[in-house]
Amino acid sequence: MGITGTTPTAVPWSAFEAAEPELAVTVRERFGQYTHHALATLRKDGSPRLSGIEADFRAGELWLGMMPDSRKARDVLRDPRFSLLANPGEGTSMGGGDVRVSGRAVEITDPGKLDWYAGEVGMPMPFHVFRIELTEVVRTSVDGEEIVLRTWTPGRGVRTLRRGTDDSPAREDRS
C-alpha cells in the first residue's frame, strides 16, 4: 500500500503461486493453520480498521467473503487496498513465522461466480465476495538471533533480508 498515491501492479494469487511456488506453499500453509485472520482496511477518513476475517483458497485464488453492509466490506468497496495477516497463533512461538499479504480486493459481481462461491463455501446469499490481487507478500521468521524477512512483489521477485537484535542495518541474503 504505497503512500505516494500510485497504485502498484497487482496480480492474482495464481500468478504469485506460479512465480514463487515455494513461498506460496509456505504462505498457504501458514494461513491454513487457523480459520480466523486479521484484515486491515482503510476507513472513510483514511484511518486504519482491523477486522477479523476468514481467508479462503479455492480454484487457485485467494478469496474473502464479507457480510453485506459490514464495515470492512464498505471499506474495500470504497478503497480496495488491504493487508491480511495470518493468525499468529497461541503464545509467542509465531507458529512458523508471521505471514502477511497486501494488495487489492476485487469484488465479484457475476451471478454465476457468486453462485459457485456460495455453493463451495455453503453460505446463503447475500454476501460480498472479493478475489485478492497481490502487491506484496511478506514472511517474517526467526533464525537463531536474526529476524528474517522474505518479501515478494510483482516484477521484483523474492528478496530476503536479515537483521540482528543490534542497531546494524538489515542485510540482503544473496544465497
Side-chain angles (χ1 to χ4, degrees), residues 35-99:
T35 302
H36 297 97
H37 307 288
L39 177 70
T41 58
L42 296 170
R43 298 171 193 245
K44 190 174 186 176
D45 68 1
S47 63
R49 182 188 316 275
L50 196 58
S51 306
I53 195 163
E54 295 180 24
D56 190 29
F57 291 91
R58 291 186 188 273
E61 299 300 341
L62 177 55
W63 306 86
L64 301 176
M66 300 177 201
M67 290 174 40
D69 205 35
S70 65
R71 291 179 183 200
K72 60 189 160 194
R74 282 187 271 155
D75 287 348
V76 295
L77 288 169
R78 184 180 49 260
D79 185 333
R81 296 175 295 167
F82 75 93
S83 282
L84 179 66
L85 176 69
N87 186 323
E90 298 177 21
T92 59
S93 69
M94 289 184 18
D98 282 343
V99 169

Side-chain angles (χ1 to χ4, degrees), residues 8-54:
T9 301
V11 300
W13 175 267
S14 57
F16 162 65
E17 191 170 44
E20 297 295 339
E22 181 183 324
L23 183 57
V25 165
T26 300
V27 171
R28 270 184 97 137
E29 286 175 353
R30 188 67 191 81
F31 273 106
Q33 289 179 5
Y34 297 93
T35 302
H36 297 97
H37 307 288
L39 177 70
T41 58
L42 296 170
R43 298 171 193 245
K44 190 174 186 176
D45 68 1
S47 63
R49 182 188 316 275
L50 196 58
S51 306
I53 195 163
E54 295 180 24

Side-chain angles (χ1 to χ4, degrees), residues 135-146:
T135 57
E136 182 182 50
V137 176
V138 178
R139 178 171 186 251
T140 305
S141 59
V142 176
D143 181 13
E145 296 294 316
E146 293 182 312

Side-chain angles (χ1 to χ4, degrees), residues 8 41 73 159 166:
T41 58
R159 289 182 63 204
D166 57 15

